[in-house]
Amino acid sequence: MRLLALCGSLRAVSSNGSALVAAAQLAPAGVEVVIYPGLGDLPHFNPDLDTEAPPEPVLALRREIGMSDGLILSTPEYAHGLPGALKNGLDWLVSSLEFADTPTILINTSPASVHAPAQLREILTTMSARLVEAAFVTLNLRGRGLDAAGIAADPDLSAALAGGLERLVAAIAAQPRARW
Ligand SMILES: Cc1cc2nc3c(=O)[nH]c(=O)nc-3n(C[C@H](O)[C@H](O)[C@H](O)COP(=O)(O)O)c2cc1C
């Protein structure tokens, strides 16, 4: 099983990025978590470019989504909203056949950030993602300076991440998505 992970932070050292690397390390046997590296490479979304031959970085993202059984999103909140890079990436997926019905979970690394997760729920529902709410994960990483190894070594954090992954994998196994 292959899970694609999108990080809303473009920072080189990012708590959301670290949570996703830790998730990759904690994934159950037979489950690969692939962290998508190219969110920052996408052009600004422009419907005029969303033709039968969209820009290559867009095709690359859509291919990755199409090859994956599920999606994991972890993002900071900026000014009570989503980071532009993540919203931009999602806008490029609105019209793609590959996205609909993708089993999807959110990892929230800052429980004080309530606006971005609410907006993501609304956007993803509008895009016909299959939100697996029971597998959503909340970790309080704010101000703790933990890297992926530190997260994986923390019993509470690693249990929360591993539990979310297990529930996502079970939901996908019970109802696999259509593959493109
Ligand atoms: C420009 C900017 C705006 C932010 N606005 C908010 C906000 O509205 N609400 C919030 O909870 N955190 C806000 N934050 C804090 C980030 O969400 C927080 O630092 C986050 O953990 C960073 O994630 P990262 O380590 O993955 O980059 C903001 C940070 C920046 C840089």
Side-chain angles (χ1 to χ4, degrees):
M1 190 179 286
R2 184 181 201 273
L3 304 175
L4 190 69
L6 299 182
C7 182
S9 175
L10 300 183
R11 294 202 305 144
V13 178
S14 148
S15 54
N16 288 280
S18 295
L20 292 173
V21 173
Q25 293 169 359
L26 294 164
V31 176
E32 184 189 16
V33 176
V34 177
I35 300 173
Y36 189 69
L39 212 53
D41 299 333
L42 294 167
H44 289 158
F45 177 68
N46 178 348
D48 289 346
L49 302 179
D50 197 5
T51 61
E52 282 181 14
E56 177 52 36
V58 174
L59 289 173
L61 173 62
R62 291 177 179 175
R63 265 197 306 271
E64 289 289 330
I65 296 277
M67 285 163 51
S68 301
D69 299 286
L71 189 60
I72 304 172
L73 300 177
S74 187
T75 183
E77 173 173 298
Y78 291 157
H80 288 188
L82 289 188
L86 179 58
K87 181 64 167 74
N88 187 52
L90 292 173
D91 285 345
W92 277 115
L93 293 172
V94 168
S95 68
S96 81
L97 289 174
E98 294 88 346
F99 187 79
D101 198 41
T102 306
T104 301
I105 64 166
L106 310 184
I107 297 174
N108 184 356
T109 61
S110 174
S113 306
V114 295
H115 302 282
Q119 290 171 18
L120 258 183
R121 277 185 170 87
E122 177 67 20
I123 292 163
L124 293 167
T125 301
T126 303
M127 292 172 65
S128 301
R130 193 199 310 166
L131 295 183
V132 185
E133 292 269 355
F136 282 24
V137 176
T138 299
L139 311 171
N140 196 353
L141 300 184
R142 194 89 166 252
R144 294 182 65 180
L146 290 172
D147 62 7
I151 296 169
D154 181 286
D156 294 336
L157 298 174
S158 60
L161 272 176
L165 287 168
E166 274 168 27
R167 287 188 285 278
L168 173 61
V169 166
I172 294 170
Q175 191 185 347
R177 66 168 301 201
R179 293 288 287 268
W180 296 86

